[in-house]
Amino acid sequence: MFRGAPPETPTEAPARPNAYGLSNEARNLHWLLTNLVEEVPGVMSVAVVSSDGLLLLSSDPEETAAAARPAKPAQGQDGPKGSSADLATIVSGLGSLTLGAAQLMDGGSVKQTMVAMDQGSLFVMTISDGSLLGVHATPDCDMTVVAYHMALFVGRAGHVLTPELRSELRKSVESAR
């Protein structure tokens, strides 16, 4: 299933900085996210977005750093098309839209949203703290496999994504500028 093992499991990891400047929880979340992309067929990129729409984690650390910097227009584009910043924006917007729809329809909480497109698929799943996990996948991905692995990530990450850890992740994105 997942390649390798994290240095410590998320339930055992103390919240202390390590040699890389991140706590074990932050490193473990990065590891889980990387494995989601590497091990699940069809997954192209992944982003974790806070409940207020800020990018916390990305499947590409360089793109996470780029998302913290002001966007540089490239070849007539207004932003970093296809980057983690775009995925985070879309995930946040879709999460807000579906939450509003659920409230209007008295549907309760939103657990998962899936958008199937000609050239790809987008999955958004709620994490227990109100954050969102977004996955961009190929159009021919096995949706049940992607959703299953997203649920595994949410189950493993949800209990460690504390306000302190969210703050640490935001600071790491900002300091990568």
Side-chain angles (χ1 to χ4, degrees), residues 143-168:
M143 294 179 195
T144 57
V145 170
V146 173
Y148 172 76
H149 284 278
M150 287 177 70
L152 287 178
F153 178 92
V154 166
R156 292 174 178 152
H159 68 282
V160 297
L161 202 50
T162 61
E164 295 81 17
L165 185 55
R166 285 192 305 273
S167 177
E168 177 186 354

Side-chain angles (χ1 to χ4, degrees), residues 5-176:
E8 297 181 34
T9 61
T11 57
E12 298 172 353
R16 64 182 189 281
N18 62 30
Y20 301 107
L22 294 176
S23 67
N24 287 328
E25 289 96 341
R27 285 188 17 228
N28 287 337
L29 285 177
H30 280 281
W31 177 84
L32 287 169
L33 198 76
T34 299
N35 275 300
L36 184 62
V37 173
E38 291 177 355
E39 301 297 323
V40 181
V43 172
M44 295 189 289
S45 61
V46 180
V48 175
V49 181
S50 67
S51 59
D52 54 356
L54 298 175
L55 179 64
L56 297 177
L57 285 172
S58 167
S59 55
D60 183 353
E62 291 178 18
E63 288 185 6
T64 301
R69 293 190 292 267
K72 297 178 185 174
Q75 301 174 353
Q77 296 174 355
D78 293 331
K81 184 174 174 129
S83 73
S84 296
D86 284 342
L87 182 57
T89 300
I90 292 165
V91 166
S92 178
L94 189 57
S96 179
L97 180 66
T98 56
L99 178 63
Q103 289 172 346
L104 284 172
M105 298 173 165
D106 293 325
S109 62
V110 177
K111 296 179 183 350
Q112 181 177 353
T113 305
M114 197 279 297
V115 179
M117 302 168 281
D118 288 339
Q119 300 301 315
S121 300
L122 174 65
F123 302 83
V124 178
M125 190 173 284
T126 305
I127 300 174
S128 61
D129 70 334
S131 299
L132 300 167
L133 172 63
V135 172
H136 178 216
T138 60
D140 61 344
C141 71
D142 185 335
M143 294 179 195
T144 57
V145 170
V146 173
Y148 172 76
H149 284 278
M150 287 177 70
L152 287 178
F153 178 92
V154 166
R156 292 174 178 152
H159 68 282
V160 297
L161 202 50
T162 61
E164 295 81 17
L165 185 55
R166 285 192 305 273
S167 177
E168 177 186 354
L169 293 169
R170 283 184 194 150
K171 287 177 186 175
S172 74
V173 168
E174 291 170 2
S175 69

